[in-house]
């Protein structure tokens, strides 16, 4: 029996700083209902999907920063999303800023959850690769202060059994690092879900700006193919508080092929019917880790490079 999961990439256009949680949740509900009407088993929302991408600004007061965080999940603002998803029998993936008390202290993470069709939280992830900088850097056109506002995720890269398969979560910059997919690939992941807020302009490397969309697709297509997994990447897109963010939300097959894409920079749903068994066409052949992968040799290559003196010139 084939294991088809119909997934909706639920891209969001800009979220203004002044937009309230209820106003944003209303947009999420519209996309969730559209996903259900298109036969989706789950809808994937972007990173930090409840607010504007606030790490673009330097804040000093903690109360100003904490206004962007959720103290519970579901929170009062997101309960309607959980209720409607359960009523419709559709799951979802949601990125949000998490504020919690853990190990006797207040913690803040850039987090994402996977909610199943019964409205239960089936998986949770906290962003590991926090890009940008920790201090105010006024030379930048805009800041990227994730290292200031979030701790590094402390949950690793787990995978979860849901929707009849093995699912994994990551967030934004995580998608640029091959280790992200490989750690989940070694756990047999069949579908990786991720959201992102990606400015077109990267202040430290403006020469990359024209390749922003190419790099976005490149990293997800390679991660998918090299680990025999589906990858769903969903943008918060458009000009958000004066910062142009890429769209280019996509669904990538284990072959590395793009099977669905958004074409606007606004709220848009791209739908794909994904056969999870297609993963085996790669996991059992080209990327059969048990047969072909040689981790015992990888460290030697690094050691040899370090130990061997440079050739006499
Ligand atoms: N955003 C960006 C991302 O990794 C970035 C940061 C932009 C890195 C451009 C490199 C180039 O897509 C987040 N939120 O990680």
């Amino acid at each position: 029996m084939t294991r088809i999961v119909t997934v909706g990439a639920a891209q969001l256009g800009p979220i203004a700083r002044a937009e309230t949680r209820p106003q944003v949740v209303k947009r999420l509900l519209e996309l969730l209902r559209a996903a259900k009407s298109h036969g989706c088993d789950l809808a994937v929302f972007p990173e930090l999907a409840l607010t504007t991408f606030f790490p673009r600004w330097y804040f000093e007061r903690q109360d100003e920063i904490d206004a962007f965080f959720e103290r519970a999940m579901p929170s009062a603002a997101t309960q309607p999303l959980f209720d409607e998803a359960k009523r419709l029998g559709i799951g979802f993936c949601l990125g949000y800023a998490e504020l919690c008390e853990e190990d006797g202290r207040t913690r803040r993470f850039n987090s994402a959850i996977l909610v199943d069709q019964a409205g239960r939280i089936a998986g949770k992830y906290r962003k590991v690769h926090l890009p940008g900088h920790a201090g105010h850097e006024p030379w930048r056109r805009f800041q990227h202060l994730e290292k200031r506002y979030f701790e590094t995720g402390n949950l690793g890269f787990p995978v979860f059994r849901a929707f009849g398969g093995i699912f994994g979560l990551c967030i934004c910059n995580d998608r640029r690092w091959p280790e992200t997919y490989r750690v989940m690939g070694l756990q047999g992941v069949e579908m990786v879900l991720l959201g992102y807020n990606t400015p077109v302009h990267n202040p430290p490397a403006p020469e990359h700006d024209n390749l922003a969309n190419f790099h976005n697709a490149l990293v997800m297509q390679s991660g998918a193919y090299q680990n025999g997994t589906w990858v769903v990447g969903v943008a918060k897109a458009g000009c958000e508080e004066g910062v142009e963010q890429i769209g280019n939300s996509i669904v990538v097959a284990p072959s590395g092929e793009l099977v669905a894409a958004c074409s606007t920079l606004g709220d848009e749903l791209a739908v794909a019917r994904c056969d999870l068994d297609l993963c085996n066409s790669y996991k059992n052949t080209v990327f059969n880790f048990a047969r072909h992968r040689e981790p015992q040799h990888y460290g030697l290559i690094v050691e040899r490079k370090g130990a061997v003196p440079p050739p006499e010139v």
Side-chain angles (χ1 to χ4, degrees), residues 54-274:
F54 63 91
R56 69 166 64 91
W57 296 302
Y58 175 72
F59 296 105
E60 285 193 348
R61 288 185 21 219
Q62 193 62 53
D63 62 318
E64 277 190 305
I65 299 165
D66 289 351
F68 295 101
F69 284 75
E70 305 305 309
R71 287 164 172 72
M73 189 50 70
S75 53
T78 52
Q79 190 61 56
L81 187 67
F82 280 74
D83 295 344
E84 182 68 348
K86 186 175 182 180
R87 185 184 73 84
L88 295 172
I90 183 172
F92 63 92
C93 174
L94 180 74
Y96 67 100
E98 177 191 10
L99 190 155
C100 62
E101 301 303 320
E102 200 171 272
D103 301 334
R105 59 196 170 94
T106 302
R107 319 289 295 272
R108 294 173 180 84
F109 298 100
N110 184 344
S111 300
I113 51 171
L114 177 61
V115 179
D116 66 21
Q117 292 108 319
R120 281 189 303 265
I121 296 178
K124 180 171 178 177
Y125 170 74
R126 289 165 170 169
K127 186 174 182 178
V128 168
H129 298 95
L130 297 172
H133 47 106
H136 188 212
E137 296 185 3
W139 62 270
R140 294 170 178 260
R141 212 186 297 169
F142 48 85
Q143 304 296 295
H144 198 118
L145 288 161
E146 292 191 62
K147 293 180 191 293
R148 182 182 185 84
Y149 300 140
F150 303 118
E151 281 186 63
T152 300
N154 61 351
L155 302 176
F157 292 98
V159 296
F160 315 100
R161 288 203 170 278
F163 305 97
I166 300 174
F167 281 68
L169 303 175
C170 67
I171 299 174
C172 203
N173 196 258
D174 289 320
R175 77 189 186 287
R176 299 181 190 276
W177 300 90
E179 294 87 346
T180 299
Y181 305 95
R182 182 46 49 89
V183 169
M184 291 190 273
L186 288 166
Q187 299 172 78
V189 73
E190 296 173 314
M191 184 173 280
V192 175
L193 310 176
L194 65 96
Y196 54 87
N197 288 260
T198 300
V200 171
H201 173 58
N202 186 26
E207 68 274 20
H208 302 170
D209 291 3
N210 66 308
L211 295 171
N213 280 300
F214 167 70
H215 287 154
N216 180 59
L218 173 67
V219 293
M220 288 192 271
Q221 287 180 271
S222 51
Y225 169 62
Q226 290 169 343
N227 294 279
T229 178
W230 291 87
V231 175
V232 182
V234 182
K236 169 104 79 48
C239 185
E240 186 175 85
E241 296 293 335
V243 176
E244 293 291 346
Q245 302 199 145
I246 68 168
N248 198 14
S249 302
I250 51 176
V251 179
V252 185
S255 61
E257 295 167 293
L258 296 187
V259 297
C262 288
S263 58
T264 72
L265 292 176
D267 291 11
E268 180 183 352
L269 185 75
V271 177
R273 295 181 77 253
C274 305

